Amino acid sequence: MKIDLLRTAHPLEVDWKTISKVKKKLKEENTTSEEKIREIFSQIDVEIDLDEMIN
Amino acid sequence: MNIKTPLNKLKFIGNILPKMDNRGALLIPLSLKVKDLEFAHYRHIPINWNIEAVMPKCLPKDFSKNAVKIVDMFRRKTIDLDYEIMLIFYYKTAELLYCFVNEESGGDEVSGQVDEEIFAGHDIAVIHNHPKNYGSSPSNENFQILDLTFQDYEILSSWDGIWIIESRELIPIGEIRKIKYKIQQFYEYSWEIVGNMDGGKMEMIKQFDILYGNLLLTYINNYPLNIKLTKKVFKHED
C-alpha cells in the first residue's frame, strides 16, 4: 500500500491572524488563554507553571 | 527540483542499498546506477563542520553507530538550508530507503510517497529538518508517526537542536485525533499568550518557540500512552 508522508514547519513569524482568531474565541468563551491552557492540562492532571515556561 | 524517485527503484545488484562506511560517508556501490536525482542532490549538499556533533547519547540506544552518523550528517547538511529534506532509514543497519527534497516549497514542507510493504518487520526512522526561519518545535503534521505502524522514531533537526518522537505501538484513531487537536490548541494559545507580552517581534517569536515547545513536552510525556517526546539542545546562535 502506498502511503503519503508529509512534513511541515510553522513559520517563525508573529502569527497575528492566529492571535486575533484565538482572542475572538476566548472572548466568546469568556476566558483567557492562560486559563484555557490550565484547563487543558487539568484534564490530564498535570501542574504547569506558565510563568516558568515563558521566562 | 521536485522529482520523487524512491531509492528502492534504483537498479542494483545483489539487493545492495546505500550504506554508511566507518567514517560516516555514504557509500554508493559502483554497480548501482543512481537514477534518483533527489538523493544525488542531497549527497552534494555542503557539510557544515562548525556545528556541534550529534553523539550516540543524543539518540535512542537502539540506533546503531552508523545510524547516529546519518543523523549527524543530515544535521550538518541541512542546518543552513532554507528548504526541507526528509530521509527514511533503518536505524539498526543504517541503510537509507527514501530521500525526498523540496526546494520549491519556500521552506515549509516536504512530502513523498512510500511503499509500506517494503518496511514490513523492519526498524524505521524518519528524519526531516526545519529551516532557520521556522519554529524549532514539531508542528501538528510532524506527528504523522502516530498514524503509522511501521515507523518507530521521528527525528526533527531544528536550528537549536533535535527533537525525537518515539511511538512503537498502534495508537487508536480517537486518541490520535485528541492529541493533534490539543497540539493545535497549544499552537494557537501560545501565540495568544506571547501576543500579549511586552517586547519586540524577535523576543515574541523566541518566547513562542519556548512556550509551545515546553507545552508539547509536558503534554506528550504525560499522555497515558507509550509515546515519548524529547529534545536535545545544541549550541546555537540566538
Side-chain angles (χ1 to χ4, degrees), chain A residues 3 5 7, chain B residues 144-151 167 169 176:
Chain A
I3 294 177
L5 297 188
R7 299 292 179 270
Chain B
Q144 190 182 16
I145 181 176
L146 303 181
D147 298 282
L148 303 172
T149 51
F150 59 78
Q151 185 183 353
S167 173
E169 297 165 1
I176 296 175

Side-chain angles (χ1 to χ4, degrees), chain A residues 1-13 15 19 22-23 25 33 40-41 43 53-54, chain B residues 108-114 116 133 135 139 141-142 144 154 182 187-188 191-192 196 205 207 215:
Chain A
M1 185 172 114
K2 304 287 183 194
I3 294 177
D4 293 315
L5 297 188
L6 172 68
R7 299 292 179 270
T8 59
H10 289 305
L12 204 58
E13 297 171 349
D15 190 348
I19 289 175
V22 171
K23 273 187 198 287
K25 201 193 297 184
S33 52
I40 292 167
F41 274 97
Q43 291 164 9
M53 280 189 181
I54 293 171
Chain B
D108 66 354
E109 71 169 45
V110 62
S111 62
Q113 194 176 68
V114 300
E116 190 180 16
N133 294 329
S139 64
E141 290 81 6
N142 294 170
Q144 190 182 16
E154 175 78 29
K182 282 292 191 314
Y187 172 79
E188 292 178 355
W191 274 124
E192 162 63 14
N196 286 324
I205 290 168
Q207 292 301 341
L215 286 170

Side-chain angles (χ1 to χ4, degrees), chain B residues 178-228:
Chain B
K178 208 193 301 184
I179 292 168
K180 288 188 175 179
Y181 178 71
K182 282 292 191 314
I183 292 173
Q184 186 61 24
Q185 281 188 308
F186 291 151
Y187 172 79
E188 292 178 355
Y189 294 120
S190 294
W191 274 124
E192 162 63 14
I193 287 182
V194 301
N196 286 324
M197 288 168 63
D198 297 324
K201 180 177 163 181
M202 290 315 296
E203 185 57 27
M204 209 182 279
I205 290 168
K206 188 179 160 188
Q207 292 301 341
F208 165 80
D209 224 1
I210 293 170
L211 177 58
Y212 172 69
N214 281 329
L215 286 170
L216 276 186
L217 283 163
T218 306
Y219 177 69
I220 295 293
N221 291 319
N222 283 281
Y223 202 80
L225 282 176
N226 201 7
I227 308 167
K228 214 187 297 182

Side-chain angles (χ1 to χ4, degrees), chain B residues 102-184:
Chain B
N102 197 353
E103 286 183 280
E104 296 168 4
S105 71
D108 66 354
E109 71 169 45
V110 62
S111 62
Q113 194 176 68
V114 300
D115 190 342
E116 190 180 16
E117 282 159 14
I118 70 165
F119 299 135
H122 285 284
D123 310 299
I124 299 293
V126 178
I127 185 169
H128 79 286
N129 64 302
H130 280 183
K132 223 165 197 171
N133 294 329
Y134 289 81
S136 166
S137 321
S139 64
N140 214 342
E141 290 81 6
N142 294 170
F143 284 86
Q144 190 182 16
I145 181 176
L146 303 181
D147 298 282
L148 303 172
T149 51
F150 59 78
Q151 185 183 353
D152 293 339
Y153 295 103
E154 175 78 29
I155 303 170
L156 163 59
S157 177
S158 299
W159 60 275
D160 64 348
I162 56 172
W163 293 80
I164 304 160
I165 306 170
E166 180 180 349
S167 173
R168 295 170 179 265
E169 297 165 1
L170 186 64
I171 310 284
I173 292 177
E175 297 293 334
I176 296 175
R177 284 197 188 123
K178 208 193 301 184
I179 292 168
K180 288 188 175 179
Y181 178 71
K182 282 292 191 314
I183 292 173
Q184 186 61 24

Side-chain angles (χ1 to χ4, degrees), chain B residues 3-53:
Chain B
I3 301 167
K4 296 176 170 60
T5 310
L7 289 170
N8 66 339
K9 290 206 174 150
L10 302 174
K11 280 193 179 173
F12 56 84
I13 297 170
N15 209 31
I16 299 168
L17 291 170
K19 287 189 181 184
M20 303 292 289
D21 70 3
N22 60 1
R23 293 168 300 169
L26 280 172
L27 291 176
I28 308 294
L30 288 175
S31 56
L32 209 62
K33 288 187 183 180
V34 179
K35 289 187 175 180
D36 187 88
L37 293 179
E38 285 174 287
F39 183 59
H41 173 95
Y42 174 72
R43 283 180 59 222
H44 287 98
I45 294 172
I47 298 166
N48 184 333
W49 293 110
N50 297 320
I51 61 172
E52 196 177 340

Side-chain angles (χ1 to χ4, degrees), chain B residues 45-88:
Chain B
I45 294 172
I47 298 166
N48 184 333
W49 293 110
N50 297 320
I51 61 172
E52 196 177 340
V54 177
M55 305 298 287
K57 63 181 179 184
C58 302
L59 292 168
K61 289 188 180 141
D62 43 3
F63 270 57
S64 67
K65 209 163 52 168
N66 281 340
V68 172
K69 286 178 182 170
I70 285 182
V71 176
D72 179 60
M73 203 55 58
F74 181 88
R75 185 166 169 73
R76 292 182 186 283
K77 280 178 175 282
T78 60
I79 193 81
D80 299 314
L81 296 182
D82 59 1
Y83 56 92
E84 292 195 24
I85 294 180
M86 174 169 42
L87 296 184
I88 303 170

